[in-house]
Amino acid sequence: MEKVRLTSVRNAYGMKVKRCCASCQHKCIKSDGTRFCAVMMMAVDQKSKCKDWQMADGLRFAGKGGSDVHDKETKEIIL
């Protein structure tokens, strides 16, 4: 895992996504709140990045439109 300057990539809908562990498809979060890489099987921080990075599904479709934004706590739709 290398710690370098973060770069951004654009998804199919033109939204900028930072290329790092925080936006990776392989990111898992353990019950104690630590970030864990399922590919490298090690704890990582949000600004790390590696050659196996893949954009997370939620970010891949961000900006598509036609969807609602939900509050995580109350599950209510935010207009």
Side-chain angles (χ1 to χ4, degrees):
M1 223 19 104
E2 57 184 273
K3 290 186 181 183
V4 294
R5 202 170 116 210
L6 296 180
T7 57
S8 294
V9 294
R10 292 195 182 270
N11 69 5
Y13 302 100
M15 302 293 292
K16 285 178 98 174
V17 176
K18 290 182 181 173
R19 189 178 170 137
C20 60
C21 284
S23 62
C24 184
Q25 178 72 29
H26 305 296
K27 169 193 72 182
C28 299
I29 299 178
K30 290 182 161 184
S31 59
D32 64 356
T34 58
R35 228 175 270 266
F36 188 78
C37 179
V39 173
M40 301 198 359
M41 302 302 284
M42 62 184 283
V44 294
D45 69 2
Q46 67 184 31
K47 293 184 181 179
S48 300
K49 70 176 184 178
C50 70
K51 61 180 175 56
D52 295 323
W53 180 86
Q54 290 181 350
M55 191 180 301
D57 286 338
L59 296 172
R60 188 176 303 136
F61 300 113
K64 180 178 179 183
S67 62
D68 298 321
V69 176
H70 295 264
D71 184 289
K72 288 183 181 180
E73 306 276 324
T74 63
K75 307 293 187 223
E76 293 178 358
I77 297 175
I78 301 170
L79 299 175

